[in-house]
Amino acid sequence: MTAETNEVKQTTKGADAVDEAIAQGIDFDGSPIPPAKLELYHKVMALEANRQRSGVSNTMRSRIVRIGAKHIPQAELDKMLIDAGFAPLKDKEAAFFYGGK
């Protein structure tokens, strides 16, 4: 295994790993990300960057739900949201994130 390949594997964890890989144009396995995929990604991200935000708390809650649902059981995440002062999971969120599990 080369140092370059090893370096790529070391950066596959954490919140910024995907952003770093996109910026380099290289996937975690060391293969180049096709230009058409990068172009579409940047186009959509530019649209998102120009979208008016509704507030930091709303965005925080959205991220907590979206990411937390991957790691935390539904009842536990719901309680954690309430305990932190956020609104509990909405029925549509529970169905979307937990319905198929």
Side-chain angles (χ1 to χ4, degrees), residues 31-61:
S31 64
I33 299 170
K37 288 182 178 181
L38 285 170
E39 182 180 336
L40 177 58
Y41 175 82
H42 290 300
K43 184 176 189 173
V44 171
M45 292 303 106
L47 293 170
E48 180 65 9
N50 289 320
R51 183 174 63 87
Q52 180 64 42
R53 303 295 180 199
S54 59
V56 174
S57 287
N58 289 340
T59 301
M60 288 173 59
R61 185 190 176 283

Side-chain angles (χ1 to χ4, degrees), residues 6-14 16-18 20-21 24 28:
N6 193 29
E7 183 178 334
V8 170
K9 290 187 182 226
Q10 289 176 359
T11 61
T12 62
K13 292 184 179 179
D16 296 330
V18 171
E20 291 173 14
Q24 295 174 15
F28 291 142

Side-chain angles (χ1 to χ4, degrees), residues 21-100:
I22 291 167
Q24 295 174 15
I26 300 173
D27 207 329
F28 291 142
D29 65 2
S31 64
I33 299 170
K37 288 182 178 181
L38 285 170
E39 182 180 336
L40 177 58
Y41 175 82
H42 290 300
K43 184 176 189 173
V44 171
M45 292 303 106
L47 293 170
E48 180 65 9
N50 289 320
R51 183 174 63 87
Q52 180 64 42
R53 303 295 180 199
S54 59
V56 174
S57 287
N58 289 340
T59 301
M60 288 173 59
R61 185 190 176 283
S62 294
R63 289 178 181 177
I64 291 166
V65 170
R66 180 174 37 91
I67 296 168
K70 296 175 187 176
H71 305 283
I72 304 168
Q74 180 180 346
E76 187 177 343
L77 180 59
D78 199 40
K79 182 178 182 329
M80 292 168 80
L81 287 166
I82 293 166
D83 289 350
F86 288 109
L89 288 169
K90 299 171 188 165
D91 290 341
K92 68 180 185 177
E93 290 171 329
F96 181 81
F97 292 109
Y98 292 100

